[in-house]
Each structure stands twice: as C-alpha cells, then as structure tokens.
Amino acid sequence: MKRHIRFALVYAVLAMACGVFYREFTKAYEFTGVTALGKVHTHLFMLGMTVFLLFALFDAKLGLQKSRLYLPFMIIYNAGVGIASILMLVRGVTEVTGAALGAGSDGAISGISGLGHILIAAGIVLFFCMLLFALRAEKNGERKTNGEEKAE
C-alpha cells in the first residue's frame, strides 16, 4: 500500500509542476488560446494520483499486489501515462510557440500519444481483471489472512 501512495504522491507533484509550467509558459508567450498543456495537469492528477490512491485502498482490502497481473499492470499503465503526458507536453509547447513541425511530425506526435492512451486503457483493463480475480478468490475463501485460510 505504501508503494502506491508514493506513486500517487509523485504523480501529484508532477501534476502540480505541469500546472505551474502551463501557467508560466503561456504567460511568457502571451498565449490565451486553448492548448494541450492545460490538460496534462488534469491527466496526471486523475490518471496518476487518483488511480494509485484507489489502487492503495483496493490493495489493502484485496491484496492486489499478489496478483500475477500486478507487474504487467504497473509497467503498462505507468508507461502509458508517461508517454501520453510527455507527448501532450510536446504538443502543447508546439501549440504555444507556434513552432512549425516537419512533414509527418504532427501525425507522429498524435500517433505516439495515441499509443500511450492505448497502454493506459490496457492498464485499466488489467486493473479491473485484478479486482475481479481478487473478489472471486475472496468469495471462494481462497484469500489468506495472517497465514491462515479465510473462513467463510
């Protein structure tokens, strides 16, 4: 549980840093329009901090870390959030600065960001699978508590 609270804290700090960066960067460029930079802050709070706080609660109750899906979830989900967030930052910086991207760069940014979002979706599916497997195991009395079989 402590590990997931630390992950949530890291994501919260990153989210706040991205929020400050968004405010100061757009102010420096006197940019007043809508940009992807404004969405990075919220993505990191919701997909990072909130998900890992919820994971910590579910893990405390159901022991999700014991699942064989735990490590794939952690790798896939965190990679997805990282990739999507970084590419949203790149997209936002190019929008604010008005930088001309080379041929195909715009599509590459969208495509790689889309892959990050696909990884996030796969991670969410793994999370729900872990929850369902843990609930089934608990219902069948397979979950161990203090080294003993849980009695129904």
Side-chain angles (χ1 to χ4, degrees), residues 3-4 55 58-75 122-138 142-144:
R3 170 188 290 163
H4 304 104
F55 193 98
F58 282 116
D59 183 47
K61 173 73 174 138
L62 300 170
L64 297 179
Q65 287 187 65
K66 297 173 188 165
S67 171
R68 61 185 171 82
L69 298 177
Y70 173 73
L71 187 58
F73 161 76
M74 291 295 285
I75 293 169
I124 290 170
V125 168
L126 289 171
F127 179 54
F128 276 101
C129 288
M130 281 189 291
L131 285 173
L132 292 171
F133 293 154
L135 288 171
R136 183 187 317 152
E138 186 175 71
E142 297 169 11
R143 185 166 167 244
K144 293 185 179 185

